[in-house]
Amino acid sequence: MKKILWILLIFGFQFANAQVGSWTVWKQSPCYLKIEYRYKYVKQQGDRHVWLLQFKNNYNKSVYFNYSLAGEQEEEQLYLARRKSITPNRNSDEMEFFTNSERFEIQVSNLSFRQGVKEYEPCDQNKRSKD
């Protein structure tokens, strides 16, 4: 009986440690209001934290944009932008990323509606102020 209890206890402990965190609520990009993102904590790997990131495109057309990670201890990734594309009204695939701390922010920039174009859309707030 004790043996079975120990096995169940060990199995339960391993299962609890394997659980992944919950997704955050969708957060609006400060610049492009129809681009949202969310993330969830996966695990700690050595001194690094592993996360999953997902974007949502609420525009009625495909978007192409840069995203980067910024935070207190993210110097090596602060301006290392990655390019992403998402079709209209869809979520992106989940992407894994690593941080040195649990405090960071996701930055979205250089959005365009055509692939390979170097002419980027201004922030949505700037568009409103011109109207």
Side-chain angles (χ1 to χ4, degrees), residues 67-81:
Y67 71 94
S68 59
L69 184 65
E72 295 175 351
Q73 300 175 11
E74 306 308 325
E75 293 82 14
E76 78 277 5
Q77 293 185 25
L78 187 57
Y79 294 108
L80 179 61

Side-chain angles (χ1 to χ4, degrees), residues 23-28 35-40 51-57 65 67 84 86 90-97 104 106 108:
W23 285 103
T24 62
V25 296
W26 286 102
K27 299 179 182 201
Q28 198 173 53
I35 298 294
E36 296 179 306
Y37 63 90
R38 66 182 182 169
Y39 53 88
K40 69 177 172 179
W51 306 83
L52 289 177
L53 171 65
Q54 188 175 41
F55 288 98
K56 182 192 291 187
N57 174 12
F65 60 90
Y67 71 94
K84 185 71 185 158
I86 310 175
R90 298 279 182 188
N91 296 346
S92 72
D93 293 335
E94 297 173 2
M95 301 165 285
E96 187 175 70
F97 70 98
F104 62 89
I106 304 295
V108 175

Side-chain angles (χ1 to χ4, degrees), residues 4-131:
I4 293 172
L5 184 60
W6 277 109
I7 291 171
L8 289 174
L9 185 63
I10 290 170
F11 178 75
F13 180 75
Q14 288 176 343
F15 181 74
N17 283 340
Q19 296 298 308
V20 175
S22 299
W23 285 103
T24 62
V25 296
W26 286 102
K27 299 179 182 201
Q28 198 173 53
S29 162
C31 182
Y32 302 106
L33 303 179
K34 291 188 176 184
I35 298 294
E36 296 179 306
Y37 63 90
R38 66 182 182 169
Y39 53 88
K40 69 177 172 179
Y41 187 77
V42 177
K43 65 181 177 180
Q44 186 164 352
Q45 189 171 339
D47 292 337
R48 309 276 302 205
H49 301 276
V50 182
W51 306 83
L52 289 177
L53 171 65
Q54 188 175 41
F55 288 98
K56 182 192 291 187
N57 174 12
N58 293 313
Y59 289 100
N60 291 323
K61 46 184 142 178
S62 292
V63 293
Y64 307 86
F65 60 90
N66 290 348
Y67 71 94
S68 59
L69 184 65
E72 295 175 351
Q73 300 175 11
E74 306 308 325
E75 293 82 14
E76 78 277 5
Q77 293 185 25
L78 187 57
Y79 294 108
L80 179 61
R82 294 159 183 90
R83 195 82 177 147
K84 185 71 185 158
S85 64
I86 310 175
T87 54
N89 299 304
R90 298 279 182 188
N91 296 346
S92 72
D93 293 335
E94 297 173 2
M95 301 165 285
E96 187 175 70
F97 70 98
F98 300 83
T99 63
N100 293 326
S101 84
E102 294 184 34
R103 293 176 57 176
F104 62 89
E105 57 184 64
I106 304 295
Q107 298 177 339
V108 175
S109 61
N110 297 350
L111 183 135
S112 63
F113 294 112
R114 296 186 325 221
Q115 187 173 8
V117 174
K118 299 275 187 213
E119 297 170 13
Y120 304 120
E121 295 294 316
C123 286
D124 291 336
Q125 293 89 340
N126 294 343
K127 289 179 189 176
R128 280 194 214 134
S129 63
K130 291 179 183 178
D131 292 339

